[in-house]
Amino acid sequence: MSLNQNQINRSILLVDDELDIVNLFTELLKSKNYDVSGFTNPLKALEDYKENYDQYGMVISDIQMPKMNGFDLVKSIKMINRNISIILMSAYADIDYSQLNDITINEVIQKPIKIMKLLSTVEKHLMSA
């Protein structure tokens, strides 16, 4: 399936180990005409990204997750496409970002996330990609 550039820019890979957050954010973003693929398992999300990387304009990921944390997920994704927009989410304020080394993150959003903050952040970084 071939997507035009506008569809690619509006395609988001969403990863959070909390199903309620994935469901809520997926429905919210879809209601604003974004194409969202939501995952609660970061390993499955990475597998999907490897197969479909050219279809995504953005990745939104939690940092603290079992099996693979958000930093490792982002590192793996950036090895495939270093230009992908990345938004990280965290409930913790004292996260050590040094393990990302020189990997570019577009923004970090503190949980709980306000809906308008999520939408404005996605709009800002997807449209500038």
Side-chain angles (χ1 to χ4, degrees):
M1 174 175 76
S2 178
L3 298 175
N4 68 40
Q5 189 62 37
N6 189 39
Q7 288 171 306
I8 293 170
N9 285 342
R10 297 186 69 81
S11 296
I12 300 169
L13 179 70
L14 173 66
V15 190
D16 194 300
D17 59 312
E18 294 182 45
L19 181 59
D20 290 345
I21 289 176
V22 171
N23 288 339
L24 175 67
F25 289 178
T26 296
E27 290 307 311
L28 171 69
L29 292 166
K30 282 185 174 184
S31 76
K32 299 298 182 184
N33 296 317
Y34 291 102
D35 180 24
V36 182
S37 296
F39 292 86
T40 56
N41 181 328
L43 296 173
K44 290 188 185 222
L46 180 58
E47 185 178 304
D48 181 77
Y49 188 81
K50 285 178 180 178
E51 293 174 10
N52 303 295
Y53 68 91
D54 58 337
Q55 296 180 17
Y56 288 111
M58 172 177 284
V59 174
I60 302 173
S61 178
D62 192 16
I63 295 173
Q64 302 290 339
M65 297 181 289
K67 300 179 184 167
M68 173 184 258
N69 68 40
F71 291 145
D72 291 337
L73 176 64
V74 166
K75 288 177 194 175
S76 296
I77 285 172
K78 285 285 192 167
M79 287 184 356
I80 298 166
N81 178 3
R82 63 184 207 126
N83 297 317
I84 186 93
S85 295
I86 303 281
I87 297 174
L88 290 177
M89 306 179 288
S90 179
Y92 304 98
D94 59 343
I95 299 286
D96 177 14
Y97 294 95
S98 65
Q99 61 185 294
L100 286 173
N101 298 321
D102 61 348
I103 294 175
T104 302
I105 301 301
N106 296 84
E107 196 156 336
V108 177
I109 303 176
Q110 195 69 36
K111 289 180 176 180
I113 299 171
K114 293 185 164 86
I115 289 173
M116 292 311 295
K117 173 67 175 171
L118 176 67
L119 291 174
S120 66
T121 302
V122 167
E123 187 75 16
K124 176 171 74 172
H125 295 296
L126 260 182
M127 296 308 134
S128 66

